[in-house]
Amino acid sequence: MKKIILKFNKTLKPKTYNLKSNRGFTIVESLVAITILTVGVSASIGAIMSSIQLVSKTENRTIAVGLAQEGVEIVRNMRDLNWIDGNTPWDLGLTDDILISGGFKTGCVEFDSVSFDVNCVVGTSYTMKLIDNAGNLYYGHDQLSPATIFSRTITLTRISADEIVVRSLVACGVNCNISVEEHLFNWQ
């Protein structure tokens, strides 16, 4: 059945239009629409994947900053414990064996360390492990725990008899290194 629309122009002559040709989309129109939809969905998926990778890198950098700062804080705590003891030199266990200016040593510290460990330099002991202690998770060098992408190195450099530079370097994957440096003084 044909539909006819009557339309009058200025001369009042009716025109008829056949709507049969406007009934649906052609295959070319459908292919163009599918292509545009596919490109849009692909771009969205690419943006989502990039966002997920960026969040993962940011998370690793945040953890690395915390581990680097923790390394400096642990060494500062060792100095403070020496002061509290009162009978020991302020740098006991740190750089007391480095007598020359510019001398340094490299090692590791744990969150509960009371001394500087230079033995961890050998092998893969730099690698931080995620340790589960009765549900409390923390990073350390326990060889029995699963390895992570993080490794922390502490370097102590003697500047003078009353000054030490503490440098904490944490590697957190490819092209990810965080370094924190602080000068500790014997100000007492």
Side-chain angles (χ1 to χ4, degrees), residues 4-187:
I4 298 175
I5 297 177
L6 298 176
K7 192 173 187 183
F8 293 94
N9 58 14
K10 292 181 182 179
T11 60
L12 296 176
K13 287 185 183 177
K15 278 189 176 181
T16 60
Y17 296 95
N18 187 356
L19 297 179
K20 189 174 190 180
S21 65
N22 294 331
R23 196 176 280 183
F25 293 110
T26 65
I27 193 157
V28 174
E29 291 171 325
S30 297
L31 288 175
V32 169
I34 289 172
T35 301
I36 291 171
L37 182 66
T38 302
V39 168
V41 168
S42 297
S44 297
I45 290 174
I48 290 170
M49 294 301 292
S50 294
S51 296
I52 290 171
Q53 289 175 348
L54 183 62
V55 165
S56 177
K57 286 180 183 178
T58 303
E59 178 184 19
N60 290 342
R61 284 186 168 279
T62 302
I63 292 170
V65 166
L67 289 172
Q69 184 61 38
E70 177 190 55
V72 170
E73 295 287 336
I74 292 168
V75 174
R76 183 185 302 130
N77 188 47
M78 290 178 199
R79 178 206 55 188
D80 293 348
L81 288 175
N82 286 336
W83 279 338
I84 291 170
D85 186 25
N87 298 326
T88 60
W90 73 282
D91 61 349
L92 182 69
L94 298 173
T95 59
D96 55 323
D97 55 341
I98 304 173
L99 302 178
I100 60 168
S101 179
F104 69 93
K105 66 180 177 181
T106 302
C108 301
V109 292
E110 298 288 336
F111 78 96
D112 58 352
S113 292
V114 292
S115 65
F116 191 73
D117 182 11
V118 294
N119 296 325
C120 70
V121 176
V122 180
T124 60
S125 296
Y126 278 156
T127 304
M128 303 294 288
K129 312 291 179 143
L130 186 59
I131 300 168
D132 184 356
N133 183 9
N136 295 320
L137 297 176
Y138 62 92
Y139 288 94
H141 295 93
D142 177 16
Q143 297 302 318
L144 301 177
S145 299
T148 65
I149 62 168
F150 303 103
S151 63
R152 178 172 61 201
T153 306
I154 308 293
T155 302
L156 303 176
T157 305
R158 178 175 292 285
I159 302 301
S160 69
D162 291 324
E163 182 180 3
I164 297 172
V165 175
V166 180
R167 190 170 294 116
S168 179
L169 175 66
V170 176
C172 52
V174 179
N175 296 326
C176 179
N177 292 303
I178 303 296
S179 180
V180 174
E181 180 178 301
E182 186 169 330
H183 292 249
L184 297 181
F185 298 93
N186 181 19
W187 53 269

